[in-house]
Amino acid sequence: MPSLALLFSSFVIISSALCPCALADGVGPEEARRLRDEVREMFYHAFDGYMQHAFPLDELRPLTCTGEDSLGGYALTLIDSLDTLALLGDREHFTTSVEWISKNLRFDIDKTVSVFETTIRILGGLLSAHLIASDLATGMTIQSYNDELLHLAEDLAQRLLPAFDTPTGIPYGSINLLHGVDENESKITSTAGGGTLTLEFGVLSRLTKNPIYELVTKNAVRGIWARRSKINLVGAHINVFTGEWTQKDAGIGTSIDSFYEYLLKAYLLFGDEEYLFIFQEAYNAAMQFLYHDPWYVEVNMNSANTVWPLFNSLQAFWPGLQVLAGDIDPAIGTHAAFFSVWKRYGFTPEGFNLATSSVQKGQKSYPLRPELIESTYWLFKATRDPRYLDAGRDMIASLQYGAKCPCGYCHIVDVESHKQEDHMESFFLAETVKYLWLLFDSAVESDNIVERGPYKYIFSTEGHLLPATPEISLVHEHCSYFGSFCKPKGEDKSETFGNIEDNQDKNGTQSRLGRGVTNARSTGVFFVDGAH
């Protein structure tokens, strides 16, 4: 493990002395500002296209300049864009959007929706915007605002709660917002779908003082983890009634990815050590059995035999997660490998076959995913290496020349031909352009709320800003909170969790993490290897 202090906006202090005048080969401060402004223009090209041609439908069809309802029919793209508007300092659009949603949004509708997508996009978007709009310290408060988004978030969460009523505690994948779980609803769900709900539901519990939301999502994580294999791997799909794995492929990408992400982030945001302990075991197993430097493969969760030698685009979040965990060296190598695929095609395909070094048949598309851009941002924050600005410049060029459409940005059907598809996911505005903008904004003098705001922020898997306020983090108090996991009485919770490398997991393998991982949440700094 390198002796590095993590420099990330959620729990990291950035030293301005680390930012040289020459930011990258050919990218000086002025060009960095120009690229940041170009990304801002990209956001408004897509946002204005949505508002003019698709709103209040869920998503924009950017080729034909029309709209479509793709999730629940409740202005999905507007809700997903709220905290990006705030991040850009756009008080006018942020205010009018919050006011419209407050007056017009309802969830008593006869729509069957994905529990996972509705949680990360809608619930997370509402909570993030509420926390920004209601707090004077953010500089984006709305005078007339009276917690309407929080009330909407609670109403939505109440409608999702029946999905958790299963023998395992792992929720159904879908639910009808008006009628609850259909009697014919599938009992199979993905690991990511069942295990990536803790941040949004946990924040809601902290804000409403109602522990049920946090408790059911923690139980879902426990339900998944209790059924891990003997080598601490989890499969891709599970039966929520029997607890049997219906797909035993283990990986860090499709159907599993954000399960790992939320284990670490739930610890960072809430200070709940149970999540940290699970993450350490899960991460160590992933690095032992899935990591084939610099790539990751999918294996059988029991035998660890390789079943898919594939890079899939959802894996690209992993180097960013490794930055938060403090494992910088493998993150650098893996990002370089993943970015080489982007450079080859102009985008990352959904699947790239490592055995044949070619695009996987049937997985040729690029649906404007943010994951590689997200990792680029975190690695630049951690290292200040100018190569990541170069990468960001290439990504902007690809999106501008390959994906830009008359009213927004289009999915790429085939990364080899760059054929466009008439669809733009809401996460393009919630994440893709957000991380690109932050990358270049962090390279110059920045005054956005993440870099210079009153709080440290955790980004949800949808890129929503969740602040580590005392109310949410319950610093030094979380052990009194119902449903939390605590150390034995008398142990100092400000101590280092380190020396984990001295512990052996049940397979006798040493931990990659924990070499002096210090809990300094109350000061807003997270150190690795005792480096200060």
Side-chain angles (χ1 to χ4, degrees), residues 325-360:
D327 212 0
I328 304 288
D329 281 350
I332 291 171
T334 294
H335 178 277
F338 291 174
F339 184 60
S340 72
V341 178
W342 181 291
K343 289 280 285 184
R344 181 170 175 177
Y345 298 106
F347 303 100
T348 47
E350 290 290 76
F352 179 77
N353 192 305
L354 302 177
T356 63
S357 190
S358 62
V359 177
Q360 179 72 7

Side-chain angles (χ1 to χ4, degrees), residues 412-484:
I412 303 299
V413 178
D414 185 335
V415 297
E416 293 177 307
S417 68
H418 286 195
K419 180 182 177 183
Q420 295 178 339
E421 181 183 9
D422 195 14
H423 188 61
M424 187 184 81
E425 292 265 12
S426 66
F427 59 63
F428 180 75
L429 295 176
E431 300 181 82
T432 307
V433 291
K434 177 183 286 170
Y435 285 119
L436 264 180
W437 187 85
L438 280 168
L439 171 65
F440 289 101
D441 193 58
S442 65
V444 297
E445 293 182 6
S446 172
D447 62 356
N448 68 69
I449 61 175
V450 170
E451 300 288 341
R452 296 287 183 264
Y455 311 116
K456 308 298 183 263
Y457 285 88
I458 282 293
F459 289 71
S460 77
T461 197
E462 188 72 6
H464 291 309
L465 307 178
L466 301 175
T469 64
E471 181 181 20
I472 290 172
S473 291
L474 299 176
V475 176
H476 301 312
E477 296 178 12
H478 66 270
C479 274
S480 65
Y481 190 78
F482 180 68
S484 70

Side-chain angles (χ1 to χ4, degrees), residues 30 45 73 108 222 228 247 251 256 282 312 330 370 382 400 458 496-497 521:
E30 287 306 313
H45 174 64
D108 55 342
R222 288 169 171 164
R228 68 193 182 278
Q247 185 180 352
I256 304 177
N312 70 70
Q400 291 288 63
I458 282 293
T496 296
F497 294 126
R521 297 173 63 251

Side-chain angles (χ1 to χ4, degrees), residues 151-359:
H151 299 321
L152 284 167
E154 188 167 22
D155 176 53
L156 176 59
Q158 282 288 333
R159 297 175 186 278
L160 298 177
L161 277 180
F164 294 86
D165 186 15
T166 66
T168 63
I170 305 167
Y172 286 96
S174 299
I175 192 169
N176 186 285
L177 293 176
L178 195 60
H179 303 298
V181 178
D182 187 90
E183 62 180 8
N184 297 315
E185 178 59 40
S186 172
K187 294 180 174 63
I188 308 302
T189 194
S190 69
T191 297
T196 311
L197 311 166
T198 50
L199 292 188
E200 294 83 1
F201 275 74
V203 167
L204 184 61
S205 273
R206 306 298 171 100
L207 296 178
T208 61
K209 307 298 189 289
N210 183 348
I212 189 62
Y213 309 115
E214 185 166 3
L215 187 58
V216 297
T217 53
K218 177 182 281 190
N219 282 341
V221 172
R222 288 169 171 164
I224 292 170
W225 187 241
R227 292 165 176 84
R228 68 193 182 278
S229 71
K230 291 181 180 179
I231 56 175
N232 286 338
L233 294 177
V234 293
H237 291 92
I238 193 168
N239 185 306
V240 302
F241 264 61
T242 67
E244 295 295 318
W245 293 100
T246 58
Q247 185 180 352
K248 297 181 180 181
D249 298 349
I252 62 165
T254 304
S255 299
I256 304 177
D257 51 351
S258 48
F259 172 74
Y260 290 99
E261 178 184 2
Y262 269 36
L263 289 174
L264 180 58
K265 289 184 175 180
Y267 164 69
L268 291 175
L269 188 59
F270 301 135
D272 188 331
E273 295 155 24
E274 182 176 6
Y275 290 117
L276 177 63
F277 298 150
I278 296 173
F279 174 76
Q280 287 166 338
E281 288 197 27
Y283 181 81
N284 294 333
M287 295 305 291
Q288 180 180 356
F289 299 112
L290 309 178
Y291 182 47
H292 290 245
D293 188 6
W295 305 94
Y296 291 80
V297 298
E298 294 185 9
V299 305
N300 178 278
M301 64 181 288
N302 296 309
S303 67
N305 292 330
T306 300
V307 293
W308 287 108
L310 286 178
F311 158 59
N312 70 70
S313 60
L314 287 173
Q315 294 177 355
F317 87 101
W318 190 258
L321 184 67
Q322 290 181 306
V323 169
L324 299 187
D327 212 0
I328 304 288
D329 281 350
I332 291 171
T334 294
H335 178 277
F338 291 174
F339 184 60
S340 72
V341 178
W342 181 291
K343 289 280 285 184
R344 181 170 175 177
Y345 298 106
F347 303 100
T348 47
E350 290 290 76
F352 179 77
N353 192 305
L354 302 177
T356 63
S357 190
S358 62
V359 177

